[in-house]
Amino acid sequence: MKLKEFLERNPIINSAQLAKEMWSDNKSAPSKLTNKLNENIVGNGKQRITEKDMEMAEVVLKKLADDIYKSFQ
């Protein structure tokens, strides 16, 4: 499943917060994720979700799931 589809199917997940976790050193992380999800043209080319982006999102979402699970035990 693509990241965009996942976020659309799970509106409880805040994409801005996900972006901040994925790119913690980038002040414009929410805009970066929005541009990638919508494949906006920024600078010299179209922004796209890469494999590396998918891997980062997976790590962040797994950590979140683990934190939620642990808090209810």
Side-chain angles (χ1 to χ4, degrees):
M1 176 185 310
K2 294 183 178 182
L3 183 58
K4 184 174 183 173
E5 293 170 4
F6 177 80
L7 292 173
E8 287 171 352
R9 290 183 185 177
N10 298 281
I12 196 167
I13 297 172
N14 183 313
S15 61
Q17 191 60 41
L18 174 62
K20 288 177 186 178
E21 293 291 326
M22 289 173 64
W23 299 290
S24 58
D25 59 331
N26 187 329
K27 292 180 182 179
S28 304
S31 295
K32 181 175 183 171
L33 181 58
T34 299
N35 288 333
K36 286 180 172 249
L37 291 172
N38 296 322
E39 295 187 350
N40 293 335
I41 296 174
V42 178
N44 294 330
K46 189 183 284 191
Q47 302 297 298
R48 293 190 176 95
I49 296 290
T50 64
E51 276 298 314
K52 185 177 178 183
D53 297 331
M54 290 294 292
E55 290 169 5
M56 283 191 304
E58 185 177 338
V59 167
V60 170
L61 292 170
K62 280 184 179 179
K63 181 184 178 299
L64 174 62
D66 288 345
D67 290 347
I68 291 169
Y69 179 76
K70 288 176 185 174
S71 69
F72 286 102
Q73 288 186 332

